[in-house]
Amino acid sequence: MSPTVFEYYFEPEDLGADFVRLIDRFGPTVGKRNWAEKVQDALSPPPTLHVQPETKQDAVQPLATQNSPVDTVLDSTRLERQSLAVVDSPLSQDVEPATSESESKRRSRLRRFISVHALGQYVFCLRSAVLSLEIGDQRDLDEPMPRLTYIPNFDREKIEEALSKELWKFGLLVLASLAIIGSAVVGISTVKQWHFHACIFCLACVLYSATYSALRIVELALRRHAAIAAEAREPEPQFDRIARVNWWSLLKCGYEPVSYERPFRHAELPIEGCPWRVLQQGNRRIPVIKAGSSKIGFKRGELYSKHQVRLVAYALLLESSGPFVVPYGVVLPTDSALGLAFPITDELRCRAIKLIGDFDRQLAQVQHDQMQPKLPEPKSRCSRCDYGSPTQISASEIVKSRKTEQPIVVLRSPRDVFFHCQCADRFGSAPPHERITRMGLSQIVG
């Protein structure tokens, strides 16, 4: 994986007097090894003897002789130029020169990497993309939350382990039901009505649990059979359209699924992310993501634009991390091994690079209040967005929020119940969410 360089933008007038004197003395670029010593020297009382202060050129000159890239802090203009420098890429077109004011505001913030999830939301809604990035939403890193109804899939060993546990559980329930039936017979013979009724209640509970366990056994057995019976098959080389794939068939072809704990970061582009799984075989890497819905996949045979963008972005990240080849990506529904393979071409890579640059520029404008994101077109995209879903709020919370620098946007129902949502709080206007429309919420002005 390529080494990552972090860069911090700041204005001298925003720092304390001691650090301003430090920057004026040593310049904007200082080696990391001598940083602690120079900070201590700069903050210590001045000596009695008059010493000519170093110029910025004198402070930068010794760094040119160091060979270790870890001990060098890149110049801000150089890093920004390298992060967007792609030969003959669409990024070099339609780029307006930054004004001095916008450049000053851009340098006053911490440079952030764009997550792949936020980039996918960008083609869906700019507001959603900004919120995803600021909140830190990277759903491709998340596994399904553990719950009682969860049945493992995509891992044959876990399926067989869960099946074994469920068979033991079903056997114990059968034994418990037989014991309860025997106890009920004893209650009938001794003419103890309360004992008989208690046994009937316990037997009903055990039979319900046994029925539910039997259904899980059938589901796990079917998934295990699908994993065993799948044939080794993957899309044809150089295929040019979306193709149906089977997760188990890809594993039979020799691919090994790998899950990464930390996101990849591109060596040149300001983007980071980690797919749900990466299928590895030799120098081939196949990113696999979840669609988050059971309707997308084998049956419908189509993908949303945000899924396509995410796959291409993951291809760029994987190719940047080593000499790997990423011919296509795979999208799987929430809990199905039948998905879709999307071919990744050079043209799509160039479009994704241009899209990253466009999003980076618009993100800087939004964060510095130079542009207010509009609602997406069509506005029906807001109907089920998580960021536009209203949440009830009390009057005391409203009073507290008005004392802060960023007060919330209050939505009132016809029954004088107050709500708010993340999208309205961030951008100042409520989206046409289906719950907002159905509940008749109106925004309170002032």
Side-chain angles (χ1 to χ4, degrees):
M1 192 178 300
S2 302
T4 304
V5 178
F6 293 92
E7 180 179 7
Y8 295 87
Y9 299 113
F10 54 83
E11 293 293 340
E13 59 268 20
D14 298 333
L15 304 177
D18 294 332
F19 286 95
V20 172
R21 179 160 53 89
L22 174 66
I23 296 301
D24 292 338
R25 181 177 180 184
F26 296 108
T29 55
V30 181
K32 291 184 178 179
R33 288 183 178 176
N34 300 328
W35 177 257
E37 298 177 1
K38 294 183 178 181
V39 168
Q40 184 176 2
D41 295 340
L43 298 182
S44 59
T48 55
L49 298 178
H50 176 72
V51 180
Q52 182 67 23
E54 297 181 11
T55 63
K56 296 183 179 180
Q57 183 177 2
D58 296 334
V60 178
Q61 183 65 24
L63 297 178
T65 60
Q66 298 179 5
N67 298 325
S68 176
V70 180
D71 298 334
T72 304
V73 179
L74 297 181
D75 181 75
S76 60
T77 306
R78 176 187 172 191
L79 179 59
E80 184 175 1
R81 182 172 62 253
Q82 289 181 350
S83 64
L84 300 179
V86 180
V87 179
D88 297 333
S89 69
L91 279 179
S92 60
Q93 305 175 2
D94 301 330
V95 179
E96 298 180 358
T99 61
S100 59
E101 182 180 359
S102 62
E103 182 67 19
S104 176
K105 291 183 177 180
R106 183 179 180 86
R107 288 175 177 271
S108 64
R109 68 183 178 90
L110 171 65
R111 184 174 181 85
R112 302 184 62 176
F113 284 87
I114 300 173
S115 66
V116 175
H117 176 75
L119 184 65
Q121 293 297 106
Y122 174 61
V123 300
F124 181 78
C125 172
L126 179 57
R127 286 188 171 192
S128 177
V130 174
L131 284 171
S132 299
L133 187 61
E134 292 179 348
I135 295 175
D137 189 358
Q138 297 185 6
R139 302 182 185 181
D140 292 339
L141 294 176
D142 297 336
E143 287 283 355
M145 295 298 294
R147 57 186 186 274
L148 296 177
T149 59
Y150 173 70
I151 299 178
N153 204 354
F154 312 107
D155 192 329
R156 181 176 169 182
E157 293 183 358
K158 291 184 178 180
I159 292 175
E160 293 178 347
E161 181 181 357
L163 180 60
S164 177
K165 291 181 179 179
E166 206 65 38
L167 288 173
W168 274 100
K169 179 182 177 181
F170 182 77
L172 293 177
L173 290 173
V174 171
L175 294 177
S177 62
L178 294 177
I180 293 174
I181 292 175
S183 180
V185 172
V186 173
I188 294 175
S189 62
T190 57
V191 196
K192 292 183 179 180
Q193 189 175 6
W194 65 269
H195 185 81
F196 175 76
H197 290 166
C199 291
I200 293 299
F201 176 77
C202 293
L203 181 62
C205 295
V206 171
L207 290 178
Y208 174 80
S209 300
T211 303
Y212 181 74
S213 180
L215 294 177
R216 289 174 61 89
I217 290 174
V218 172
E219 181 66 23
L220 289 169
L222 292 176
R223 295 187 178 188
R224 180 177 180 274
H225 175 73
I228 296 175
E231 298 180 357
R233 183 183 304 173
E234 66 174 321
E236 298 292 335
Q238 305 299 330
F239 70 106
D240 56 353
R241 60 183 60 185
I242 297 176
R244 291 180 171 86
V245 293
N246 188 325
W247 169 260
W248 303 115
S249 297
L250 294 177
L251 298 185
K252 289 290 184 68
C253 292
Y255 285 100
E256 179 184 359
V258 178
S259 175
Y260 292 90
E261 297 180 357
R262 296 183 178 180
F264 297 94
R265 283 184 172 175
H266 202 280
E268 298 178 351
L269 303 175
I271 187 171
E272 66 175 356
C274 183
W276 174 71
R277 293 289 187 275
V278 177
L279 297 178
Q280 300 182 0
Q281 184 185 40
N283 66 335
R284 292 167 65 92
R285 297 292 184 271
I286 309 298
V288 183
I289 65 175
K290 291 290 194 68
S293 173
S294 59
K295 298 180 180 179
I296 301 176
F298 218 80
K299 295 182 179 179
R300 296 184 59 178
E302 60 183 12
L303 295 176
Y304 290 134
S305 299
K306 61 180 181 180
H307 298 138
Q308 300 177 9
V309 169
R310 286 162 60 187
L311 288 176
V312 179
Y314 283 132
L316 293 175
L317 289 173
L318 292 173
E319 291 170 346
S320 174
S321 62
F324 303 132
V325 178
V326 185
Y328 62 90
V330 175
V331 180
L332 295 175
T334 305
D335 197 20
S336 175
L338 305 178
L340 297 175
F342 179 72
I344 300 175
T345 61
D346 293 337
E347 180 182 359
L348 293 176
R349 290 180 176 88
C350 292
R351 291 181 182 179
I353 293 174
K354 184 179 184 301
L355 189 68
I356 295 170
D358 294 340
F359 183 30
D360 191 27
R361 290 191 296 270
Q362 293 197 30
L363 179 64
Q365 295 176 359
V366 171
Q367 291 182 338
H368 296 103
D369 298 329
Q370 297 177 355
M371 180 186 68
Q372 186 68 13
K374 299 180 180 179
L375 293 174
E377 292 293 342
K379 293 184 175 58
S380 58
R381 296 181 177 181
C382 299
S383 60
R384 296 184 179 181
C385 179
D386 296 337
Y387 301 122
S389 180
T391 304
Q392 188 172 349
I393 188 173
S394 62
S396 60
E397 292 176 329
I398 297 176
V399 175
K400 291 180 180 179
S401 67
R402 294 186 182 277
K403 298 179 181 179
T404 61
E405 298 180 356
Q406 296 181 351
I408 63 176
V409 175
V410 182
L411 308 175
R412 182 171 58 188
S413 68
R415 297 182 179 181
D416 289 337
V417 182
F418 302 106
F419 297 85
H420 77 110
C421 66
Q422 290 178 309
C423 183
D425 294 343
R426 174 63 176 84
F427 303 107
S429 60
H433 194 273
E434 62 177 5
R435 289 191 59 197
I436 295 179
T437 304
R438 184 175 65 253
M439 298 169 62
L441 303 181
S442 58
Q443 181 173 335
I444 298 179
V445 181

